[in-house]
Amino acid sequence: KITREQAFFYYTVMLHCSNDEYEMQSDHVHTPNRVRDNAGYSLMPEFTRAFGCKAGDAMYAEEESSCYLFGPQS
């Protein structure tokens, strides 16, 4: 069983599924989707809560490490 919050993250990542070998080519200008998804989501407190991430987990980031792009803390 998964929660609605977890389902949201699974669904959005699945939208980005692609061939990372293509994205890893030296002439490709974008970071691979898996890197963009993992890096962005690991900085979200909502992701941390949804999956119960704890210090030491690969997808856990301390609040001090979070990067705010929008809103009052950006």
Side-chain angles (χ1 to χ4, degrees):
K1 291 188 170 190
I2 63 173
T3 66
R4 288 181 183 207
E5 290 80 10
Q6 291 170 332
F8 167 80
F9 289 108
Y10 285 132
Y11 176 75
T12 57
V13 170
M14 288 187 66
L15 290 173
H16 297 140
C17 286
S18 66
N19 184 349
D20 274 349
E21 280 187 39
Y22 165 73
E23 294 179 337
M24 296 291 282
Q25 294 175 0
S26 61
D27 61 342
H28 195 353
V29 298
H30 298 291
T31 306
N33 285 331
R34 64 183 166 77
V35 174
R36 284 185 274 164
D37 288 336
N38 288 346
Y41 287 153
S42 70
L43 295 173
M44 295 177 66
E46 296 83 1
F47 180 90
T48 300
R49 282 192 299 274
F51 289 97
C53 300
K54 295 175 180 55
D57 292 345
M59 292 292 290
Y60 179 83
E62 294 287 337
E63 180 69 22
E64 302 83 42
S65 302
S66 292
C67 175
Y68 296 94
L69 301 176
F70 304 102
Q73 296 179 7
S74 60

